[in-house]
């Protein structure tokens, strides 16, 4: 099993794997280029998003700056907008449905590390070289017609249902059902959303 296969399966994997590092560097270079484009350069934005993302529907708008780990594990539906300064750590799949509105400074994480320090780093190398920490992942799924408020953080393994509003500054640690407004740290359902 490759390190990428382990990563997508949610098993402990080595972030320093050469295949993963090549994908990571490719994404960082594409994102840097995207973030430096003139705001009106829609043709090159489209070209870069096509090369970067795993998939996308029609009418995707991402305001720079935008940050990712691999990019190719991110999937958008139709008519989505991502506002400035969002970070998507897509070490596993991030699937976003149609008509999603993601406010500034939203962070979506699929990666996490063992809480035991030895499991994170293992034994010291004899040559003193740097060891990448071991990582695990869990996918994030965001439904249709979802609005995620500014500064919200979505943690690994979370599913946000359809027609949901996540309040600004929320830390979403558990699944959120369809048709609700939820906010807080940790994020909790506060009412139905008609």
């Amino acid at each position: 099993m490759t390190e990428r296969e382990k990563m997508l399966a949610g098993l402990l994997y080595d972030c320093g794997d050469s295949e993963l590092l090549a994908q990571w560097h490719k994404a960082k270079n594409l994102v840097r280029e995207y973030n430096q484009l003139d705001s009106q350069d829609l043709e090159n934005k489209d070209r870069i998003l096509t090369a970067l993302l795993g998939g996308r529907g029609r009418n995707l708008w991402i305001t720079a700056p935008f940050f990712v780990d691999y990019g190719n594990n991110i999937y958008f539906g139709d008519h989505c907008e991502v506002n400035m300064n969002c970070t998507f750590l897509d070490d596993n799949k991030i699937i976003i449905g149609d008509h999603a509105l993601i406010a500034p400074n939203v962070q979506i994480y699929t990666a996490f590390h063992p809480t035991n320090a030895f499991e994170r780093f293992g034994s010291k190398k004899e040559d003193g070289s740097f060891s990448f920490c071991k990582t695990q992942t869990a996918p994030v799924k965001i439904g249709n017609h979802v609005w995620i408020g500014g500064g919200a953080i979505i943690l690994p393994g979370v599913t946000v249902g359809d027609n949901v509003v996540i309040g600004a500054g929320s830390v979403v640690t558990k699944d959120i059902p369809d048709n609700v407004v939820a906010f807080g740290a940790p994020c909790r359902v506060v009412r139905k959303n008609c």
Side-chain angles (χ1 to χ4, degrees):
M1 183 176 257
T2 68
E3 294 303 309
R4 178 170 172 76
E5 289 169 339
K6 290 178 189 176
M7 179 177 80
L8 293 172
L11 304 173
L12 277 176
Y13 69 96
D14 179 4
C15 303
D17 173 69
S18 60
E19 176 192 6
L20 291 177
L21 279 176
Q23 292 172 358
W24 189 86
H25 287 301
K26 177 184 175 186
K28 298 303 183 199
N29 290 331
L30 287 168
V31 165
R32 183 189 69 240
E33 183 182 355
Y34 185 89
N35 289 339
Q36 292 176 348
L37 286 174
D38 289 342
S39 182
Q40 296 173 327
D41 191 349
L42 302 182
E43 183 178 329
N44 277 315
K45 285 182 177 183
D46 183 67
R47 174 187 57 80
I48 292 168
L49 291 177
T50 297
L52 177 66
L53 299 174
R56 64 185 167 127
R58 299 180 319 256
N59 300 317
L60 172 62
W61 185 273
I62 298 177
T63 302
F66 175 62
F67 305 99
V68 304
D69 261 356
Y70 298 98
N72 59 9
N73 296 318
I74 302 171
Y75 300 84
F76 285 97
D78 294 334
H79 312 292
C80 294
E81 181 179 342
V82 178
N83 213 320
M84 67 187 89
N85 210 37
C86 289
T87 300
F88 290 8
L89 296 187
D90 63 308
D91 299 62
N92 204 313
K93 289 183 180 178
I94 297 174
I95 300 171
I96 299 169
D98 297 336
H99 301 278
L101 179 59
I102 299 175
N105 301 306
V106 168
Q107 301 168 59
I108 301 176
Y109 300 144
T110 65
F112 60 98
H113 306 288
T115 55
N116 179 289
F118 182 78
E119 290 176 8
R120 281 194 303 271
F121 289 100
S123 301
K124 291 183 181 180
K125 291 187 176 184
E126 288 184 23
D127 65 1
S129 63
F130 176 78
S131 292
F132 280 90
C133 63
K134 299 294 184 191
T135 305
Q136 288 179 269
T137 68
V140 169
K141 184 171 183 210
I142 296 170
N144 298 315
H145 301 280
V146 172
W147 173 21
I148 301 174
I153 299 171
I154 313 292
L155 294 182
V158 166
T159 295
V160 175
D162 294 335
N163 194 33
V164 169
V165 175
I166 302 292
S170 294
V171 179
V172 186
T173 61
K174 296 182 179 176
D175 292 353
I176 303 296
D178 295 344
N179 304 311
V180 297
V181 174
F183 60 82
C187 188
R188 291 191 168 97
V189 173
V190 293
R191 68 178 171 86
K192 290 285 186 187
N193 190 20
C194 300

